[in-house]
């Protein structure tokens, strides 16, 4: 059966390369953005427990609320400032803390209250609006729409999860470890011959092949003589897809890309939290360190990584040695542009009267205002645009000083 370009592309789509995700179908465009800093947004899906990442062992009520989950220096936590301790799963990041390239904002949240749905919480976090259903695009995309000189390579949505915060009219690129493909030498030659007179697709094919270097899943592709050509599509190394995502992001950030966004799952810890959260923190640590190593010193110095979650968890440990959906959470910040080595934000306290709904950490700041100030300081986005367009209706308040 003759193999046309249409058939080749259709076959690629059938094996998992969606039009939205495949570099094969994305126009190749390299253009400088009008700013030189880098922003990485990581969505921690599942509702990260702020009180386990950033353990407030200095609060007199903390230990009593968490019979088996209490941290602090006496329970393996890494002391940060005499009040907070860092979960030991994040120990690989301590050198960044000491270099003041790692910081946190405690007791933040979106305007989401009392409904405790992951889906709604994540939708609101990524939309950046004050309520659900108030916009069809994401806050990062709205920021890009208001910046001149943005090309599709300026911003990347990376990974398998849907990144709604980059949805919208601004041009962005998508990439997933599962979207890459490799071909046998025969199939590669055939594809190159079909596309040799089409610079756009020939260049895109070369890029797709370059991105696909390891892991394989054998598939059959009918060749022109009726035989089955071997076609391989890489799959992520088991348990290491987060590193492939981080390495790809770093590679793009070394070039023209200025914004990257992806998600890391595994933060919904209703039971056996100690085990599940330790694994998730190690994955987050590895991801940040892979970004740090991948971009190099010069790019790292003008990079801000913003890790945020849809809501926090209950302050009281439940009967399954876990915690349930809550309200106030925390942000993790990393990068050479971050004013690290400190915990930002106002601590509300853990006395029952100080809790939200007498069960959750009380939010003392809007997570959107923290993100807005980072966009203001890192990229120079106008304050009026931030408060009226990027985060419509937001009062940013005073600068919390998250950047140098």
């Amino acid at each position: 059966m003759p193999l046309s370009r249409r058939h080749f592309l259709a076959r690629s789509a059938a094996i998992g390369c969606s039009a939205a995700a495949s570099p094969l179908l994305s126009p190749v465009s390299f253009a400088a953005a009008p700013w030189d800093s880098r922003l990485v947004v990581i969505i921690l899906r599942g509702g990260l427990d702020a009180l386990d990442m950033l353990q407030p062992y200095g609060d007199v009520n903390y230990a009593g609320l968490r019979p088996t989950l209490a941290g602090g220096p006496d329970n393996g936590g890494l002391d940060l400032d005499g009040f907070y301790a860092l979960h030991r799963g994040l120990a690989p990041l301590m050198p960044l803390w000491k270099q003041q390239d790692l910081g946190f904002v405690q007791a933040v949240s979106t305007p989401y209250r009392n409904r405790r749905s992951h889906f709604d919480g994540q939708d609101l976090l990524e939309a950046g609006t004050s309520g659900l259903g108030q916009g069809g695009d994401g806050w990062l995309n709205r920021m890009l729409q208001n910046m001149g000189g943005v090309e599709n390579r300026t911003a990347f949505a990376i990974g398998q999860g849907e990144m709604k915060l980059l949805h919208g009219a601004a041009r962005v690129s998508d990439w997933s470890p599962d979207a890459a493909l490799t071909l046998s030498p025969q199939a590669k030659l055939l594809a190159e011959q079909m596309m040799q007179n089409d610079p756009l697709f020939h260049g895109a094919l070369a890029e797709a092949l370059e991105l696909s270097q390891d892991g394989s899943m054998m598939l059959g592709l009918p060749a022109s003589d009726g035989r089955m050509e071997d076609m391989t599509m890489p799959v992520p190394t088991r348990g290491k897809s987060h590193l492939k995502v981080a390495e790809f992001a770093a590679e793009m950030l070394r070039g023209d890309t200025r914004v990257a966004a992806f998600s890391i799952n595994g933060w919904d810890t209703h039971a056996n939290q100690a085990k599940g959260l330790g694994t998730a923190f190690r994955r987050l640590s590895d991801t940040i360190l892979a970004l740090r190593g991948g971009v190099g010193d010069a790019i790292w110095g003008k990079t801000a990584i913003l890790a945020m979650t849809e809501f926090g968890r209950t302050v009281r440990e439940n009967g399954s040695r876990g915690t349930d959906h809550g309200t106030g959470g925390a942000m993790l910040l990393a990068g050479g542009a971050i004013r690290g080595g400190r915990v930002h934000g106002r601590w509300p306290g853990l006395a029952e009267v100080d809790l939200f709904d007498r069960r959750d950490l009380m939010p003392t700041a809007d997570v959107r205002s923290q993100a807005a100030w980072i966009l203001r300081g890192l990229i120079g986005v106008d304050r009026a645009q931030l408060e009226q367009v990027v985060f419509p209706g937001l009062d940013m308040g005073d600068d919390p000083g998250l950047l140098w």
Side-chain angles (χ1 to χ4, degrees):
M1 180 177 70
L3 181 61
S4 65
R5 189 178 73 186
R6 177 186 297 274
H7 181 88
F8 179 82
L9 295 177
R11 186 73 186 190
S12 298
I15 63 174
C17 302
S18 71
S22 172
L24 185 64
L25 297 178
S26 299
V28 180
S29 176
F30 296 95
W35 64 88
D36 193 36
S37 55
R38 272 51 165 193
L39 173 65
V40 180
V41 179
I42 306 174
I43 302 296
L44 306 177
R45 300 193 188 282
L48 163 67
D49 180 17
L51 302 188
D52 218 347
M53 178 174 71
L54 205 55
Q55 302 159 353
Y57 74 92
D59 189 294
V60 296
N61 296 294
Y62 170 65
L65 291 163
R66 301 204 161 197
T68 70
L69 293 177
D74 293 338
N75 295 298
L78 306 169
D79 185 47
L80 295 177
D81 57 6
F83 184 86
Y84 290 111
L86 190 66
H87 191 286
R88 59 187 171 188
L90 293 172
L93 299 183
M94 280 302 288
L96 296 183
W97 171 266
K98 294 176 180 177
Q99 296 164 15
Q100 300 187 347
D101 286 352
L102 177 72
F104 302 87
V105 187
Q106 183 63 286
V108 294
S109 79
T110 69
Y112 190 63
R113 296 290 184 276
N114 288 322
R115 296 171 66 180
R116 308 184 192 280
S117 160
H118 290 300
F119 301 106
D120 288 346
Q122 290 170 22
D123 281 352
L124 197 61
L125 174 68
E126 298 190 58
T129 55
S130 59
L132 291 166
Q134 296 180 356
D137 49 9
W139 59 266
L140 259 183
N141 194 283
R142 287 196 298 275
M143 182 273 290
L144 294 171
Q145 292 174 37
N146 284 274
M147 303 298 290
V150 171
E151 300 286 349
N152 62 329
R153 279 307 179 98
T154 300
F156 259 91
I158 303 171
Q160 301 171 17
E162 185 180 20
M163 300 305 298
K164 293 181 178 178
L165 78 168
L166 269 173
H167 279 191
R171 300 168 62 185
V172 302
S173 292
D174 301 88
W175 182 83
S176 167
D178 283 338
L181 78 162
T182 56
L183 305 177
S184 68
Q186 297 90 342
K188 178 182 176 183
L189 178 62
L190 182 60
E192 288 176 340
Q193 290 174 345
M194 286 189 300
M195 300 181 184
Q196 61 183 348
N197 295 322
D198 189 328
L200 174 63
F201 279 90
H202 190 271
L205 173 65
E207 181 190 33
L209 294 173
E210 183 180 343
L211 294 174
S212 308
Q213 297 296 324
D214 55 5
S216 66
M217 180 174 67
M218 302 300 294
L219 293 171
L221 182 68
S224 58
D225 60 0
R227 294 181 294 105
M228 296 296 287
E229 294 278 2
D230 290 336
M231 185 173 188
T232 63
M233 184 177 72
V235 295
T237 304
R238 184 180 296 275
K240 298 294 184 181
S241 60
H242 59 290
L243 292 182
K244 294 191 70 170
V245 166
E247 290 163 1
F248 177 79
E251 180 183 347
M252 294 299 102
L253 292 167
R254 289 199 304 270
D256 292 330
T257 295
R258 297 295 179 266
V259 176
F262 56 88
S263 61
I264 298 178
N265 299 335
W267 308 98
D268 196 12
T269 49
H270 291 281
N272 300 319
Q273 179 167 309
K275 180 179 179 181
L277 211 49
T279 300
F281 279 137
R282 286 189 288 276
R283 192 180 304 123
L284 178 59
S285 296
D286 290 346
T287 298
I288 292 173
L289 292 178
L291 285 166
R292 169 68 183 91
V295 298
D297 292 344
I299 300 298
W300 180 255
K302 46 192 174 186
T303 294
I305 299 172
L306 169 56
M308 53 206 308
T309 189
E310 67 263 32
F311 46 60
R313 307 192 74 82
T314 51
V315 299
R316 292 182 180 84
E317 178 181 332
N318 65 27
S320 301
R321 298 186 176 184
T323 54
D324 299 319
H325 299 176
T327 306
M331 301 167 67
L332 181 151
L333 310 173
I338 291 296
R339 188 165 174 249
R342 66 200 70 197
V343 177
H344 300 270
R346 183 171 65 85
W347 176 245
L350 294 178
E352 185 169 338
V353 69
D354 295 325
L355 304 181
F356 176 82
D357 209 18
R358 295 184 176 273
R359 51 167 280 172
D360 302 337
L361 182 65
M362 179 69 75
T364 58
D366 191 323
V367 70
R368 299 174 301 160
S369 67
Q370 313 299 307
W373 279 111
I374 288 178
L375 297 182
R376 175 84 181 119
L378 193 71
I379 302 175
V381 185
D382 180 76
R383 178 167 182 162
Q385 288 186 331
L386 288 166
E387 294 183 331
Q388 298 169 19
V389 178
V390 180
F391 300 104
L394 174 70
D395 179 357
M396 292 170 59
D398 296 331
D399 186 351
L402 304 180
L403 302 175
W404 287 113

